[in-house]
């Protein structure tokens, strides 16, 4: 909040924000405009949208407000609690008399930032939460160079992930894709070999499959090579498959399970529509067009 000497944040357009904390300071100044009814779940939704925008535009920025991330863990440690409840609900139900949830959030935010500034450098999110680098902005990540894909697979396997390999270059028809998925993921004999059946069976594997007894933080990864060939042969099915994968990955994440897809393409210019309401992005090492040449 602005101080008498003008050292605090001042009103401005949200598009001029330099980072998420600058964005939160704009909300702090005018909470009634940003948060109807003073709702912290509404604030959490705004921050989720902010993080999604970073991913869409390829902006790298520290972000501490995911349910499993730093701010929530700090809050749980501070209050001596544990469980799946997120920071918004926890702050609302623990707001003391004489205060409001919004005031309590910003009081806690200031304390969190003050304590974080005094701590040693934090461990990178990709090391703290295995595989999170392939789930932050999208559940489907593209690769042009096979070696980068192989390196990613090895890192994930070392962290306990189960990596399932699929060769899309062999799929001349949609039926070939269904057979490959059914064999690789051991779908039941009654699998219908259509996209609705793929959605149902993949959801069972992603959300309730046996890989949940793997080491903590591990999960299931689909690694698909030569996907551009399948996309050329069956463009609508290729888009639909990725959409199904992303949708089931989001469902799995709600159940605190990790599931995502690495997709290799020989075509450096291949593009897909957003899947599961999230973009299909190139991996960090090949994000720029020139890096895939």
């Amino acid at each position: 909040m602005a101080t008498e000497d003008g050292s605090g944040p001042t009103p401005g357009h949200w598009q001029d924000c330099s980072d998420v904390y600058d964005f939160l300071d704009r909300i702090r100044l005018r909470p009634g405009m940003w948060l109807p009814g003073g709702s912290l779940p509404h604030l959490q939704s705004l921050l989720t949208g902010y993080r999604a925008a970073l991913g869409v535009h390829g902006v790298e920025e520290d972000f501490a407000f995911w349910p499993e991330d730093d701010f929530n863990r700090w809050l749980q440690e501070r209050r001596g609690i544990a469980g799946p409840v997120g920071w918004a609900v926890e702050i609302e139900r623990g707001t003391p008399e004489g205060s409001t949830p919004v005031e309590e959030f910003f009081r806690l935010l200031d304390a969190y930032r003050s304590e974080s500034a005094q701590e040693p450098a934090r461990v990178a999110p990709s090391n703290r939460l295995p595989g999170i680098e392939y789930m932050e902005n999208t559940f489907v990540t593209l690769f042009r160079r096979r070696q980068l894909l192989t390196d990613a697979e090895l890192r994930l396997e070392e962290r306990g992930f189960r990596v399932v390999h699929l060769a899309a270059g062999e799929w001349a028809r949609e039926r070939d894709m269904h057979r490959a998925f059914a064999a690789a993921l051991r779908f039941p004999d009654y699998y219908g070999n259509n996209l609705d059946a793929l959605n149902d069976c993949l959801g069972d594997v992603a959300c309730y499959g046996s890989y949940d007894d793997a080491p903590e933080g591990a999960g299931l990864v689909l690694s698909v090579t030569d996907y551009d060939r399948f996309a050329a042969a069956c463009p609508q099915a290729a888009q639909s498959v990725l959409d199904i994968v992303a949708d089931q990955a989001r469902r799995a994440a709600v159940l605190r399970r990790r599931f995502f897809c690495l997709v290799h393409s020989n075509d450096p210019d291949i593009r897909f529509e957003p899947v599961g309401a999230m973009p299909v992005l190139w991996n960090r090492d090949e994000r720029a067009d020139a890096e895939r040449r």
Side-chain angles (χ1 to χ4, degrees):
M1 186 172 296
T3 59
E4 293 182 0
D5 62 3
S7 60
T10 57
H13 198 282
W14 66 269
Q15 290 180 327
D16 297 327
C17 295
S18 59
D19 61 16
V20 67
Y21 297 109
D22 195 5
F23 178 56
L24 285 168
D25 281 338
R26 306 298 170 97
I27 296 175
R28 185 199 302 249
L29 289 170
R30 295 174 176 172
M33 181 182 74
W34 290 94
L35 306 175
S39 167
L40 289 189
H42 187 79
L43 174 60
Q44 191 169 30
S45 296
L46 285 177
L47 290 174
T48 299
Y50 179 96
R51 185 64 185 87
L54 293 179
V56 168
H57 296 287
V59 178
E60 297 291 339
E61 181 183 317
D62 287 340
F63 186 84
F65 300 98
W66 285 127
E68 292 183 333
D69 224 326
D70 290 351
F71 181 69
N72 199 57
R73 284 198 300 274
W74 174 87
L75 179 65
Q76 290 184 341
E77 291 175 1
R78 183 183 182 92
R79 294 189 169 180
I81 58 175
V85 176
W87 55 265
V89 173
E90 176 57 40
I91 293 174
E92 282 200 338
R93 72 183 186 184
T95 297
E97 289 188 25
S99 183
T100 68
V102 173
E103 291 173 346
E104 184 68 2
F105 168 78
F106 283 111
R107 184 186 71 79
L108 290 165
L109 177 67
D110 290 340
Y112 162 75
R113 295 188 68 186
S114 177
E115 292 181 20
S116 297
Q118 302 173 23
E119 294 177 354
R122 293 173 295 166
V123 178
S126 59
N127 292 330
R128 186 176 65 245
L129 297 174
I132 197 67
E133 64 268 36
Y134 301 114
M135 299 175 65
E136 287 181 308
N137 305 320
T138 178
F139 292 110
V140 181
T141 303
L142 291 169
F143 288 78
R144 166 67 176 83
R145 285 175 281 174
R146 291 287 289 268
Q147 188 58 53
L148 284 176
L149 176 62
T150 299
D151 292 344
E153 293 170 350
L154 291 174
R155 287 196 304 271
L156 291 167
E157 287 175 339
E158 288 173 355
R159 297 174 187 175
F161 281 84
R162 174 189 171 200
V163 179
V164 174
H165 301 272
L166 293 162
E170 301 174 0
W171 305 344
R173 298 169 298 176
E174 183 178 332
R175 183 186 306 172
D176 300 327
M177 176 274 296
H178 287 294
R179 288 175 176 170
F181 266 88
L185 296 174
R186 300 180 182 178
F187 288 169
D189 293 338
Y190 56 80
Y191 176 63
N193 290 289
N194 57 60
L195 293 174
D196 288 339
L198 177 64
N199 185 55
D200 291 341
C201 290
L202 188 60
D204 288 341
V205 172
C207 298
Y208 309 106
S210 60
Y211 70 89
D212 58 345
D213 59 359
E216 182 180 358
L220 176 66
V221 181
L222 300 182
S223 179
V224 190
T225 55
D226 300 319
Y227 202 72
D228 55 304
R229 298 179 187 175
F230 179 57
C234 305
Q236 291 185 339
Q239 176 71 38
S240 296
V241 168
L242 298 186
D243 194 42
I244 288 170
V245 167
D247 190 51
Q248 295 302 339
R250 184 175 61 246
R251 287 186 58 214
V254 171
L255 298 173
R256 302 176 70 85
R257 295 163 67 90
R258 293 188 172 90
F259 170 59
F260 50 88
C261 186
L262 311 180
V263 177
H264 164 258
S265 169
N266 298 287
D267 177 5
D269 298 315
I270 198 168
R271 295 288 187 274
F272 294 96
E273 295 297 317
V275 293
M278 301 180 76
V280 176
L281 301 175
W282 288 96
N283 67 90
R284 293 179 180 178
D285 293 323
E286 297 182 310
R287 191 155 293 170
D289 289 346
E291 293 172 337
R292 301 196 297 274
R293 305 297 175 183

